[in-house]
Amino acid sequence: MNYQTFQPHQDLEALVSCYWTLEIPAEYSAERQRIVPDGCIEMAFILGDDIKRYTSLDEFILQPRAMVLGQTLAPFFIEPTGYVNTFAIRFYPYGFANFVTTPIEQLANKETPLTSLFDASIVNTLERNIINAEGTKQRIIIIEKFLLERLNEQSTIDTIVKQTVDALLTSNGTAAITTILKEDLSKRRQLERNFKKQIGVSPKQLGKVIRLQSALKMLLNKETDSLTKIAYESDYFDQAHFNKDFKEFTGISPTAFLSNEQMALSTLFYK
């Protein structure tokens, strides 16, 4: 598997976390993979063979070739049908809202075709240009031109929302909302309302996802063999609390995580 990340242009770095590419030869890509929530919204272009996304144990849909993957709050399974070649844009939690008029919460827990969010003729041209590009460097130039043309300079990131996301990221998801708002609880309803509009999930839900990501990285990087230590260093109440959240977002226990062949992609992304 060949997974690479690339940094955005400085005019987009406040909104775009990175660009990434993934290539997997057909002979290695048949295993069904469990994808774990990471708190981000992504725009993806499937340049290889189709990818299935399972909606139940046996039923699936084919992911759109050009799509946005909204915030997810539960694990889901995908399965390549052959050669994997993907080019994608990973946005910060508050980033993608600056490019669309569709409420972000409507994108949660599903894939949305780009043609549902932008003018179809523009999307068709974009997709064709991405497919025909000579390589990743040219694809980044193409997508950055597209994003910069759609960036509405009149709309700014809600200050409270950005401060909250930044505090959650800095604290690995553990910052309390009351602390973030510095005792101004009158702003809490406003935060909840604007947060769901711009991020797609509540502050509490995003905090849980970010905290789990922190624990996942410790587990994947083998910083310690003690699950109890990982739980406490990630600010869970105890290991039972850690186990509960871990299973909620991954579908399996921490002990089963590393040995599960269906976690190969998630391990690659989150390590």
Side-chain angles (χ1 to χ4, degrees):
M1 290 188 285
N2 184 11
Y3 172 67
Q4 297 185 62
T5 60
F6 307 84
Q7 294 307 300
H9 187 277
Q10 61 184 14
D11 291 342
L12 291 167
E13 63 184 3
L15 305 173
V16 174
S17 170
C18 69
Y19 307 105
W20 60 265
T21 60
L22 176 66
E23 281 194 84
I24 308 175
E27 59 267 29
Y28 297 112
S29 64
E31 182 74 36
R32 191 182 300 195
Q33 294 292 312
R34 187 192 307 260
I35 302 300
V36 178
D38 66 356
C40 295
I41 293 175
E42 297 188 320
M43 181 188 295
F45 296 86
I46 296 176
L47 307 175
D49 294 321
D50 286 328
I51 297 177
K52 301 176 183 178
R53 200 262 289 173
Y54 282 84
T55 55
S56 66
L57 185 62
D58 299 312
E59 297 177 323
F60 64 86
I61 62 170
L62 293 179
Q63 290 187 321
R65 308 286 297 184
M67 61 181 169
V68 167
L69 297 136
Q71 290 278 7
T72 57
L73 294 173
F76 61 92
F77 287 94
I78 64 170
E79 183 179 341
T81 62
Y83 169 55
V84 172
N85 184 11
T86 301
F87 170 71
I89 303 91
R90 181 174 296 137
F91 296 89
Y92 286 114
Y94 47 75
F96 190 64
N98 295 270
F99 300 97
V100 291
T101 57
T102 303
I104 298 300
E105 60 186 312
Q106 292 184 12
L107 309 180
N109 296 306
K110 64 180 180 181
E111 301 93 336
T112 301
L114 287 191
T115 49
S116 297
L117 300 173
F118 306 101
D119 180 87
S121 62
I122 293 174
V123 170
N124 291 335
T125 300
L126 172 67
E127 188 174 4
R128 185 166 58 251
N129 290 340
I130 291 289
I131 291 171
N132 294 331
E134 294 181 0
T136 301
K137 185 175 180 179
Q138 190 174 355
R139 289 192 177 104
I140 290 174
I141 292 172
I142 292 167
I143 198 63
E144 289 194 325
K145 182 176 182 293
F146 172 82
L147 293 174
L148 287 169
E149 286 175 350
R150 264 135 211 93
L151 188 59
N152 183 357
E153 294 181 359
Q154 300 303 313
S155 70
T156 57
I157 302 169
D158 183 280
T159 302
I160 298 176
V161 171
K162 186 178 187 304
Q163 288 175 347
T164 301
V165 172
D166 288 344
L168 289 171
L169 289 171
T170 301
S171 66
N172 289 329
T174 62
I177 301 304
T178 51
T179 303
I180 294 168
L181 296 182
K182 294 183 171 67
E183 306 303 326
D184 190 354
L185 298 184
S186 64
K187 294 182 179 179
R188 183 161 187 153
R189 286 186 180 178
Q190 178 188 354
L191 171 64
E192 292 277 354
R193 188 166 54 248
N194 291 350
F195 209 93
K196 291 201 84 172
K197 179 181 177 182
Q198 290 186 257
I199 310 299
V201 294
S202 72
K204 182 178 179 181
Q205 289 169 326
L206 181 63
K208 288 177 70 175
V209 170
I210 292 172
R211 178 165 54 183
L212 179 70
Q213 288 299 312
S214 173
L216 272 176
K217 288 174 183 176
M218 292 181 66
L219 187 62
L220 291 170
N221 291 318
K222 299 180 179 179
E223 294 180 21
T224 174
D225 292 329
S226 170
L227 291 178
T228 300
K229 187 175 181 181
I230 290 176
Y232 282 115
E233 289 193 6
S234 302
D235 279 333
Y236 288 94
F237 297 128
D238 50 32
Q239 191 171 338
H241 181 206
F242 172 47
N243 292 346
K244 178 177 178 294
D245 274 18
F246 197 98
K247 191 163 186 178
E248 176 184 347
F249 289 112
T250 69
I252 56 179
S253 69
T255 52
F257 178 81
L258 290 176
S259 61
N260 193 309
E261 292 183 357
Q262 294 178 331
M263 295 302 300
L265 272 184
S266 285
T267 298
L268 189 67
F269 289 144
Y270 305 136
K271 193 170 184 178

